[in-house]
Amino acid sequence: AVIAHQIIAQCLDCGRQTQYSPTLLACPACKSQWLEARYDLLKIAAELPGLLARRPFDLWRYRELLPVLEYNPNLSIGEGGTPLIHANNLGMMLGCPNLYIKDERQGPTGSFKDRQAAVNIAVLKEAGITEVVLASTGNVAISYSAYAARAGIKLWAFLTSLVPAEKMREVALYGTQVVKVTASYDQAKKVAAEYARQRNLYLERGARSIPSVEAMKTIAYEVAEQLGGMLANTTAPADAHSTAEASSSPGDDLHRQWIAPDWYFQSISGGLGPLGTLKGFTELYQMGLTQSIPAIGGVQIEGCAPMVHAWEANKDTAEPVVSPRTHIATLSTGDPGRTYTLLRRRMLGNGEGAAVSSTEAGGGIFEKVSDEETFRTMHILAKLEGISVEPAAAVAFAGLIKLVRAGTIKSDELIVVNCTGHTMPVERLILGEGWARNVILPSQPAAEAAHEGPSSEGLLAALNRVAEDRYPNVLIVDDT
């Protein structure tokens, strides 16, 4: 179906408004690459009840608020519409009964990046673009590979050598051209950009890409609609922003169906996710569908936390981390660039592109957690809620736990945490013979093993010589 609503691209530097098209990459006036989509929100809000009543609960439910001129259902593989789970046990442990988890593990490739890939690939297909370049720490490349394969678009993925082998193999499985870069993620992005420039190919630009930002805001739409449905028939907390009170405005029925949380938590690497989600919550507020905008809880890993350092120093610009020190490579964006500045100013309700005043903005905080806190939280979440997440997703939960214990988060507040991705399963050898070499040692009778001569060596031989009365404890040190 052709989308009837007009989409405007507004420059965040000079303010110039231009008719949006998929190939518009810079402002015609000042050449800035920082553009943002604008819609006739009031008109769309008036039409939304009738539109939503006829649509399934997925990402394309909100297609009039996305930069796609013509919706193509043949490209969809079930993106969006992920569950919102009431975290009863974790909430009880933290003393926060109004805690919900947006389970983005349920996306087609298991991460919230499926939203970004779905919208971008739809836009690229619409524009007739057949070859794309991107840099990734894993999940973006996997998501784009799946959607690019479905759309018949060739993809070049520049991955840092720290990306787990399982994720690299999954990217390759879709037919994507994998380029492993032995360098930091920021350097890999520069290499990818130069490759795209030399070959005149389309480059995925993250937060500078209108489709990427717009895709992420669908998380906000879904959360607000889901909370409204879950809390509509219950007594919501006074500060949970329930819109159930009586009113005389024409949009009452729809108005009562949307609730914004007090807090929205997400792990942050480059900042695209929270930037897009905050835009979504802001648009809901501007359309009169919610009563407030949530505070943003942006959590980074301690070994690569440029946004946290800038926030704590009350700086508008983040100083890059040149050498990230973390085992969680997915979050190792050392230089967030202008994304942090935009996110900070919008959380505070001032500056470039701010759509609300400081009195209306939800505010928020940036917090950091260690690798150890993150790994411990993975155990807590799995044991309490039956939800197994990858380390990058656990960072958000670790930050929430830290802020609750610090008293920053109040017990009666309504909290939503984005569970951004799943644990990486053990992959079978599906890429053909010869991928790995296998050595099988012949078994030995126990009596023979016990009388081995001094020439025997190795872990098994050493353990065979251990007597319980002499060595009651055994320490095994594993080289990772």
Side-chain angles (χ1 to χ4, degrees), residues 147-281:
Y147 283 91
R150 189 166 177 83
I153 293 175
K154 183 175 182 179
L155 184 66
W156 294 84
F158 287 72
L159 305 170
T160 75
S161 55
L162 294 177
V163 172
E166 293 87 350
K167 291 197 174 189
M168 284 198 182
R169 288 198 295 267
E170 187 170 356
V171 172
L173 185 66
Y174 292 106
T176 295
Q177 300 297 308
V178 176
V179 182
K180 185 167 70 171
V181 183
T182 305
S184 70
Y185 175 51
D186 294 307
Q187 290 172 305
K189 287 195 293 185
K190 292 178 181 178
V191 173
E194 178 59 19
Y195 182 80
R197 186 192 67 80
Q198 289 188 10
R199 298 193 60 177
N200 195 29
L201 299 177
Y202 182 91
L203 175 70
E204 159 52 33
R205 300 172 304 143
R208 289 176 298 158
S209 162
I210 283 181
S212 293
V213 173
E214 297 302 285
M216 291 305 178
K217 78 182 185 184
T218 59
I219 296 172
Y221 296 160
E222 289 182 16
V223 164
E225 194 172 358
Q226 286 171 311
L227 283 176
M230 296 169 81
L231 301 178
N233 298 318
T234 63
T235 303
D239 57 346
H241 310 316
S242 172
T243 57
E245 55 271 352
S247 172
S248 58
S249 62
D252 277 356
D253 291 340
L254 181 64
H255 196 254
R256 282 195 291 268
Q257 295 172 10
W258 304 74
I259 296 176
D262 293 299
W263 284 90
Y264 171 81
F265 272 83
Q266 187 177 321
S267 308
I268 296 185
S269 182
L272 168 64
L275 186 68
T277 306
L278 181 56
K279 185 176 188 286
F281 280 120

Side-chain angles (χ1 to χ4, degrees), residues 308-348:
V308 179
H309 298 149
W311 178 268
E312 291 176 344
N314 198 28
K315 292 183 177 179
D316 211 34
T317 305
E319 186 175 337
V321 174
V322 178
S323 300
R325 297 182 180 277
T326 173
H327 292 295
I328 306 173
T330 314
L331 299 181
S332 58
T333 300
D335 184 6
R338 189 172 178 177
T339 307
Y340 164 73
T341 304
L342 287 172
L343 195 52
R344 178 182 183 273
R345 291 182 179 181
R346 291 177 185 188
M347 287 164 62
L348 298 176

Side-chain angles (χ1 to χ4, degrees), residues 73-108:
N74 294 323
L75 298 180
S76 174
I77 48 177
E79 56 279 355
T82 55
L84 186 67
I85 302 168
H86 189 194
N88 293 293
N89 298 326
L90 180 61
M92 185 183 300
M93 184 194 86
L94 296 175
C96 297
N98 305 306
L99 174 59
Y100 293 83
I101 298 171
K102 183 61 170 168
D103 192 4
E104 289 292 289
R105 302 175 310 157
Q106 305 299 327

Side-chain angles (χ1 to χ4, degrees), residues 110-164:
S111 88
F112 78 124
K113 297 296 185 180
D114 287 332
R115 297 176 185 271
Q116 180 183 353
V119 176
N120 267 286
I121 291 299
V123 167
L124 296 175
K125 185 72 173 177
E126 194 170 69
I129 293 171
T130 58
E131 199 166 352
V132 179
V133 177
L134 60 77
S136 171
T137 54
N139 287 342
V140 168
I142 293 172
S143 294
Y144 269 81
S145 294
Y147 283 91
R150 189 166 177 83
I153 293 175
K154 183 175 182 179
L155 184 66
W156 294 84
F158 287 72
L159 305 170
T160 75
S161 55
L162 294 177
V163 172

Side-chain angles (χ1 to χ4, degrees), residues 199-452:
R199 298 193 60 177
N200 195 29
L201 299 177
Y202 182 91
L203 175 70
E204 159 52 33
R205 300 172 304 143
R208 289 176 298 158
S209 162
I210 283 181
S212 293
V213 173
E214 297 302 285
M216 291 305 178
K217 78 182 185 184
T218 59
I219 296 172
Y221 296 160
E222 289 182 16
V223 164
E225 194 172 358
Q226 286 171 311
L227 283 176
M230 296 169 81
L231 301 178
N233 298 318
T234 63
T235 303
D239 57 346
H241 310 316
S242 172
T243 57
E245 55 271 352
S247 172
S248 58
S249 62
D252 277 356
D253 291 340
L254 181 64
H255 196 254
R256 282 195 291 268
Q257 295 172 10
W258 304 74
I259 296 176
D262 293 299
W263 284 90
Y264 171 81
F265 272 83
Q266 187 177 321
S267 308
I268 296 185
S269 182
L272 168 64
L275 186 68
T277 306
L278 181 56
K279 185 176 188 286
F281 280 120
T282 302
E283 288 179 348
L284 288 170
Y285 176 78
Q286 291 173 326
M287 287 189 283
L289 300 180
T290 60
Q291 296 294 296
S292 63
I293 299 169
I296 300 297
V299 191
Q300 293 199 290
I301 199 67
E302 197 172 64
C304 188
M307 296 192 190
V308 179
H309 298 149
W311 178 268
E312 291 176 344
N314 198 28
K315 292 183 177 179
D316 211 34
T317 305
E319 186 175 337
V321 174
V322 178
S323 300
R325 297 182 180 277
T326 173
H327 292 295
I328 306 173
T330 314
L331 299 181
S332 58
T333 300
D335 184 6
R338 189 172 178 177
T339 307
Y340 164 73
T341 304
L342 287 172
L343 195 52
R344 178 182 183 273
R345 291 182 179 181
R346 291 177 185 188
M347 287 164 62
L348 298 176
N350 58 66
E352 54 190 326
V356 294
S357 68
S358 58
T359 57
E360 297 166 328
I365 192 171
F366 288 90
E367 184 58 88
K368 60 181 182 293
V369 295
S370 66
D371 284 22
E372 292 74 21
E373 288 172 315
T374 301
F375 299 148
R376 189 160 58 245
T377 301
M378 291 174 69
H379 285 277
I380 292 171
L381 196 57
K383 291 175 180 177
L384 290 183
E385 298 295 347
I387 294 177
S388 178
V389 303
E390 67 177 354
V395 164
F397 292 91
L400 169 65
I401 293 171
K402 192 171 183 179
L403 290 171
V404 167
R405 289 174 174 168
T408 305
I409 309 297
K410 308 305 178 186
S411 62
D412 58 351
E413 290 184 306
L414 182 59
I415 306 159
V416 172
V417 185
N418 186 343
C419 180
T420 51
H422 64 85
T423 46
M424 182 52 58
V426 177
E427 296 272 334
R428 294 185 178 275
L429 302 179
I430 56 175
L431 296 180
E433 296 295 330
W435 191 86
R437 299 185 184 277
N438 194 19
V439 177
I440 302 174
L441 297 178
S443 59
Q444 288 179 292
E448 180 183 344
H451 294 89
E452 285 181 328

